Amino acid sequence: MPAQLQATREGQTLVLTLSNPELRNAIDPVMYAAGIEALNVAENSTEVRSVVITGAAGMFCSGGNLLRLQANRQADPQVQAQSIEGLHSWIETIRTFPKPVIAAVEGAAAGAGFSLALACDLVVAARNAVFVMAYSNVALSPDGGASWSLAQALPRQLATEILMCGDRIAPERLHALGIVNRLAEPGNALAMALALAEQLNARAPNVLVSIKELVGDAPHNLLSTHLASERDHFVKNLHHANAGAGIAAFLDKRTPLYE
């Protein structure tokens, strides 16, 4: 069976499933392109309010295909550079996608698979999942934004340890470090991720857009710049129809319905 990215719907949540079971869901340029296309379509769909990325057959993603990487060593360096650009375009699309993206991790999230999970806004992991920055184990440096994501989330020493040592990391440790949001029993990561997505789907979509943008911009902004951005988002959202619906529902002690 060829590697593919399967797209299905669960209510208002788009589920993207990495499917390459023979290679433990290793990802490739075809899947990168499919991921970008799926998110571009979902961005313009009023029927999709969130996205969950998961893997088939109880495995999240083993990263890149080492046989393909070995073959690329015999090709012009631009061949691998273009492949990485495809992955990075997908990572950047996830980061800038205006709706919540949740990783549901069962089994291994290794190398670029770990990078992919880190690119998501929220991570749900089964207790028997395994995370490993496998790059240094095969004399490679990271891609997929792994060094950026870890450096943003952790002290320098911890990010360096994870990237340099290439150790297997239990989800409990990543949960304690704040990288994993929810721990699920084995086999239940997708169900828990869908429940989390449903919780977010009930919130005002325009507010989730603002929160994702503000959180993404915060590390790069001066406080004064960020305060101005918070002001502008707040005023814009206050004058959105959803704020009227939300405030009225709160005062009336009923559940709001957002557009």
Side-chain angles (χ1 to χ4, degrees):
M1 181 181 295
Q4 59 180 315
L5 186 70
Q6 299 169 342
T8 56
R9 281 275 301 282
E10 293 285 344
Q12 294 177 305
T13 301
L14 173 67
V15 180
L16 299 178
T17 303
L18 310 170
S19 181
N20 188 5
E22 291 183 2
L23 295 174
R24 302 196 308 157
N25 298 334
I27 50 180
D28 63 20
V30 173
M31 296 169 79
Y32 311 155
I36 293 169
E37 181 180 1
L39 291 179
N40 286 339
V41 171
E43 180 173 352
N44 297 313
S45 173
T46 57
E47 297 180 354
V48 173
R49 293 202 174 186
S50 60
V51 174
V52 169
I53 299 177
T54 192
M59 172 73 62
F60 186 69
C61 177
S62 63
N65 182 344
L66 290 180
L67 292 176
R68 180 168 58 84
L69 293 179
Q70 183 75 296
N72 284 351
R73 294 187 70 249
Q74 312 308 315
D76 187 283
Q78 279 303 309
V79 172
Q80 186 60 40
Q82 290 172 2
S83 176
I84 291 177
E85 284 296 332
L87 171 61
H88 288 179
S89 293
W90 188 19
I91 295 295
E92 193 166 10
T93 300
I94 292 170
R95 294 289 303 182
T96 59
F97 184 68
K99 303 172 185 181
V101 182
I102 303 169
V105 180
E106 299 273 356
F114 195 172
S115 301
L116 180 62
L118 288 169
C120 297
D121 301 303
L122 299 160
V123 179
V124 175
R127 291 184 181 274
N128 63 346
V130 175
F131 294 83
V132 55
M133 276 297 163
Y135 299 96
S136 67
N137 296 338
V138 290
L140 293 174
S141 54
D143 63 2
S147 56
W148 185 89
S149 295
L150 289 173
Q152 293 285 332
L154 300 173
R156 178 175 57 85
Q157 292 83 354
L158 276 175
T160 301
E161 174 197 341
I162 290 172
L163 290 164
M164 285 189 176
C165 293
D167 292 332
R168 295 159 65 94
I169 307 169
E172 287 84 0
R173 185 183 185 200
L174 293 183
H175 184 258
L177 292 173
I179 291 175
V180 166
N181 297 87
R182 302 278 194 278
L183 292 171
E185 293 306 311
N188 290 321
L190 178 57
M192 183 175 285
L194 289 171
L196 179 56
E198 190 64 26
Q199 179 183 349
L200 298 175
N201 293 344
R203 307 242 161 206
N206 55 297
V207 170
L208 300 185
V209 171
S210 288
I211 291 170
K212 183 162 180 173
E213 184 176 324
L214 287 166
V215 170
D217 289 347
H220 318 292
N221 283 346
L222 295 172
L223 177 59
S224 58
T225 302
H226 203 74
L227 289 173
S229 184
E230 283 192 335
R231 176 200 63 211
D232 294 344
H233 278 279
F234 188 97
V235 172
K236 179 178 67 175
N237 288 320
L238 177 63
H239 290 273
H240 193 285
N242 282 335
I247 293 171
F250 183 84
L251 294 174
D252 294 342
K253 297 181 173 57
R254 56 181 172 78
T255 301
L257 293 176
Y258 296 119
E259 62 182 46

